[in-house]
Amino acid sequence: MSNETLTITDNRTKKTYEVPLFKGAVRAMDLRQIKTDAEDFGVMSYDPAFMNTASCQSSITYINGDKGILRYRGYPIEQLAEQCTFLEVAYLILFGEMPSETQLKDWVREITHHTMIHENIKKFMDGFHYDAHPMGMLVSTIAALSTFYPDAKNIQDAQVRRLQILRLIGKIPTIAAFTYRHSLGLPYAYPDNDLSYTENFMSMLWKMAEPKFAANPALARALDILFILHADHEQNCGTNAMRSVGSSFADPYVATAAAAAALSGPLHGGANEEVLKMLDEIGHVDRIPAFIKQVKGGKGKLMGFGHRVYKNYDPRARIIKQAAEEVFKVTGKNPKLDIAIALEQIALHDEYFIKRKLYPNVDFYSGIIYQAMGFKPEMFTVLFAIPRTVGWLAQWQELLQDPEQKIARPRQIYTGYEKRDVVPMAKRTPCKN
Ligand code: CMC
């Protein structure tokens, strides 16, 4: 619309500028024309932590944080979680449309074809210390794949990109399972290509001496649903890392490793592990009020609560709660569930959390399910990284095909010294450090 503009008056010069609005946003570069004189650099936008800055246009994932809506390519997460498999959703996220029956069959075959990893990767993983954190192993091993597939550097070739996407989605469960076996000192279990994506992952985790691992179907389905819920979440910290590193035309393995590194932080995907630690620390329902008081007093956070975008309810948390019931029918209830539910209830009725619109996020209940399934807390973020690889790769493809994108390179507001001269060593006084 022609009247979709903003009029800005620069009170320093009294000049007025008309700036177009693009899909409700101001292009930051349009501010640069606002100058006090020809020498002036021009106005910049300042937005630490991207609180109000769109870094790209994307057609992959839609979130309405106020209404608690999440859709992949237009499809509500609730429908996808109920009716689809993870690899079906992966196809949707990557290619934009639901696969036909034949397309899905081919897609599953292609991914399955890439589940094996080079024996040298296995040797590489052997080098990790016995108590290495699985996320550290995962991040490093994904990066190491770059050295095994030098062809991946040819990121402008669509066929080459497709091959790396297949490799990454195929191999990440294998690497993830190997990190688990390594931390337990168990021999690695190789992929079983007769099994579904999730069943094969479970087989690589838990297969012992039996010739074929039979996953419990309810647990395999629950894991598949959890994978669907974690597959993409638009421009979160990890995805931003993927896009930022990918914008330098680095290969997808190192870019994915960077995204996984971002995910590992406790404010992001690492929160699921922290939730379990927190529930352990609380220990009993009776101790919740004291814990909440501590959080409100600024000592620590209620992990698994709060979200930059969701200010109503994280729809993934609601689906996870349902999946938890199915899992507990098989495994028996995780005793931590009572503490988590009581904690959620108290927090949801507390002025501090209401005022700040803090609700349970995806990480609040996922760890409780994972633990009931038999995972150690250190594995939880690895379980997040497996499906999120799909989202990272879809966002990476979108980035490379977007003619507006360039190398990501923010500006800064310099707050340091003006020019000063080096003082000879003999004349220096010790500084505080
Ligand atoms: N517990 C207690 N207070 C909180 C929490 C929390 N979990 N989260 C936010 N707040 C407070 C925060 O202290 C601030 O208070 P005040 O206005 O008095 O300073 C206010 O709420 C706004 O928080 P913010 O830190 O400005 O919000 P943000 O958008 O920068 O951070 C967040 C979002 C997810 C990092 C944050 O809510 C948090 O640290 N949550 C706990 C970690 C967590 O569960 N992370 C998983 C996120 S969802 C999955 C994922 O992204 O991987």
Side-chain angles (χ1 to χ4, degrees):
M1 266 187 280
S2 56
N3 63 352
E4 296 242 314
T5 62
L6 289 184
T7 301
I8 301 173
T9 304
D10 184 345
N11 292 322
R12 300 169 301 177
T13 60
K14 308 292 176 223
K15 272 198 200 162
T16 294
Y17 302 82
E18 191 168 332
V19 177
L21 277 175
F22 169 70
K23 298 181 198 275
V26 173
R27 280 184 183 271
M29 275 307 286
D30 284 343
L31 302 176
R32 190 72 77 72
Q33 60 181 312
I34 306 174
K35 298 178 180 206
T36 47
D37 55 51
E39 299 284 287
D40 186 7
F41 181 76
V43 170
M44 286 193 299
S45 60
Y46 174 58
D47 188 12
F50 300 114
M51 293 292 285
N52 192 37
T53 294
S55 62
C56 62
Q57 297 186 57
S58 180
S59 61
I60 301 169
T61 292
Y62 171 79
I63 301 177
N64 183 322
D66 293 325
K67 294 190 178 147
I69 295 174
L70 169 61
R71 295 180 198 140
Y72 300 153
R73 303 285 188 185
Y75 295 100
I77 191 69
E78 293 79 7
Q79 289 182 29
L80 296 170
E82 199 179 318
Q83 299 174 40
C84 303
T85 62
F86 169 66
L87 281 187
E88 197 178 346
V89 172
Y91 185 101
L92 168 73
I93 289 175
L94 280 154
F95 305 112
E97 295 299 336
M98 281 289 188
S100 68
E101 207 176 337
T102 322
Q103 283 171 322
L104 181 60
K105 234 168 119 190
D106 289 347
W107 171 242
V108 171
R109 187 180 40 74
E110 280 186 296
I111 297 286
T112 309
H113 182 75
H114 288 282
T115 51
M116 286 285 175
I117 56 175
H118 195 287
E119 283 293 289
N120 284 352
I121 297 178
K122 202 180 79 178
K123 287 190 206 144
F124 171 87
M125 294 185 76
D126 275 338
F128 287 112
H129 207 44
Y130 72 95
D131 60 352
H133 194 287
M135 259 323 260
M137 289 193 259
L138 185 82
V139 168
S140 325
T141 311
I142 296 171
L145 288 179
S146 162
T147 65
F148 287 81
Y149 303 112
D151 54 323
K153 292 192 173 14
N154 191 3
I155 51 123
Q156 304 299 355
D157 184 322
Q159 281 315 310
V160 171
R161 285 205 302 271
R162 187 182 158 87
L163 179 58
Q164 313 320 316
I165 288 171
L166 294 172
R167 282 175 173 156
L168 267 161
I169 299 173
K171 289 178 202 320
I172 191 147
T174 313
I175 298 170
F178 281 23
T179 69
Y180 181 76
R181 307 281 290 208
H182 181 86
S183 62
L184 293 176
L186 289 168
Y188 303 121
Y190 287 114
D192 181 341
N193 286 350
D194 293 339
L195 302 176
S196 75
Y197 192 78
T198 328
E199 287 168 341
N200 170 49
F201 177 50
M202 293 166 89
S203 165
M204 291 187 289
L205 291 166
W206 294 315
K207 186 169 176 299
M208 289 297 165
E210 69 273 38
K212 204 153 187 85
F213 180 83
N216 179 295
L219 298 187
R221 178 61 193 149
L223 196 56
D224 213 54
I225 291 173
L226 283 157
F227 280 3
I228 292 171
L229 301 183
H230 286 87
D232 192 54
H233 212 234
E234 53 119 303
Q235 306 312 312
N236 54 80
C237 182
T239 303
N240 183 57
M242 181 83 192
R243 280 182 172 263
S244 190
V245 174
S247 77
S248 75
F249 293 168
D251 75 56
Y253 299 104
V254 289
T256 302
L263 187 76
S264 72
L267 299 187
H268 193 8
N272 50 17
E273 184 180 340
E274 296 302 316
V275 170
L276 257 282
K277 283 190 203 155
M278 176 186 76
L279 295 176
D280 276 341
E281 192 190 314
I282 296 173
H284 194 275
V285 174
D286 293 350
R287 293 179 58 192
I288 294 175
F291 180 78
I292 296 268
K293 196 172 162 204
Q294 193 181 300
V295 169
K296 284 161 63 177
K299 211 170 151 234
K301 279 185 167 176
L302 180 47
M303 298 311 285
F305 257 66
H307 200 274
R308 172 65 59 78
V309 184
Y310 293 121
K311 299 297 174 196
N312 171 317
Y313 200 89
D314 184 336
R316 302 169 299 174
R318 191 174 284 134
I319 302 169
I320 283 186
K321 250 175 132 176
Q322 290 159 7
E325 282 168 26
E326 297 307 311
V327 169
F328 297 151
K329 277 184 202 160
V330 179
T331 62
K333 200 173 81 180
N334 185 337
K336 307 249 167 58
L337 185 67
D338 289 337
I339 303 176
I341 289 175
L343 189 59
E344 179 185 353
Q345 282 315 309
I346 292 173
L348 290 180
H349 293 98
D350 189 293
E351 182 57 23
Y352 175 95
F353 296 91
I354 296 170
K355 207 173 107 196
R356 291 169 179 77
K357 300 190 174 176
L358 301 171
Y359 296 89
N361 58 49
V362 70
D363 293 317
F364 192 67
Y365 284 105
S366 61
I368 297 174
I369 308 186
Y370 293 144
Q371 193 176 49
M373 283 176 154
F375 291 103
K376 298 188 300 177
E378 299 83 67
M379 274 301 286
F380 296 172
T381 314
V382 170
L383 296 169
F384 192 153
I386 295 171
R388 183 54 60 84
T389 298
V390 167
W392 291 330
L393 292 167
Q395 301 271 349
W396 172 69
Q397 283 261 57
E398 194 174 59
L399 163 92
L400 294 176
Q401 289 164 350
D402 181 347
E404 274 202 310
Q405 289 293 339
K406 288 170 180 277
I407 187 163
R409 205 298 184 188
R411 294 275 172 179
Q412 66 166 12
I413 296 173
Y414 178 69
T415 59
Y417 288 104
E418 293 296 324
K419 178 185 173 276
R420 52 185 184 155
D421 296 320
V422 174
V423 177
M425 188 67 81
K427 291 192 177 168
R428 290 182 207 167
T429 49
C431 63
K432 257 196 192 163
N433 57 24

